[in-house]
């Protein structure tokens, strides 16, 4: 089992910045990717950004150029730096860790952290 601990959400004005952190405490082997997803009220959960253990990144078009995902492999920690925030970025942000162990792929989720951007 992989436990994910998120922090860094909050309330910010449009144009502002926030940094989210997600840690997987302990020695977790075989995590091949980590990332962030978000879910706004009445909408489906959507990908925000992911990063593989090798450092390859993927971003939703809506956040490209504004958000940056990074990772400290030694700490199993992933960060999401969010700049130029917009009201439409308001959502609950969930950390995700994807683990490949003995040929089995599993996704693990954090509890979610609220990000609210006021106009």
């Amino acid at each position: 089992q992989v436990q994910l601990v998120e922090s860094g959400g909050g309330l910010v004005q449009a144009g502002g910045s926030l940094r989210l952190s997600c840690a997987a405490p302990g020695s977790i082997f075989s995590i091949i990717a980590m990332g962030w997803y978000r879910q706004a009220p009445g909408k489906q959960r959507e990908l925000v950004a992911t990063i593989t253990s090798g450092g390859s990144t993927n971003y939703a078009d809506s956040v490209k150029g504004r958000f940056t995902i990074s990772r400290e492999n030694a700490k199993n920690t992933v960060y999401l730096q969010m700049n130029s925030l917009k009201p439409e970025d308001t959502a609950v942000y969930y950390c995700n860790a994807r683990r490949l162990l003995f040929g089995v792929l599993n996704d693990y989720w954090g509890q979610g952290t609220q990000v609210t951007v006021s106009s």
Side-chain angles (χ1 to χ4, degrees), residues 13-88:
Q13 289 187 332
S17 299
L18 283 174
R19 188 192 194 210
L20 305 183
S21 300
C22 174
S27 179
I28 305 297
F29 298 99
S30 300
I31 292 180
I32 60 173
M34 296 182 74
W36 292 93
Y37 292 70
R38 67 186 181 188
Q39 188 167 18
K43 295 187 177 181
Q44 291 187 330
R45 189 173 298 188
E46 62 177 4
L47 178 145
V48 177
T50 60
I51 185 167
T52 68
S53 57
S56 297
T57 59
N58 181 47
Y59 294 92
D61 288 342
S62 59
V63 306
K64 283 180 181 177
R66 300 187 298 123
F67 291 10
T68 302
I69 190 169
S70 60
R71 179 173 174 175
E72 289 188 71
N73 286 339
K75 296 182 179 180
N76 281 320
T77 299
V78 63
Y79 306 96
L80 185 68
Q81 178 66 43
M82 306 185 291
N83 298 328
S84 302
L85 283 160
K86 304 175 181 180
E88 50 264 44

Side-chain angles (χ1 to χ4, degrees), residues 8 17 23 27 37 40 74 81 83 93 96 98 113 116-117:
S17 299
S27 179
Y37 292 70
Q81 178 66 43
N83 298 328
Y93 283 69
N96 168 268
R98 177 158 289 182
T113 185
T116 303
V117 184

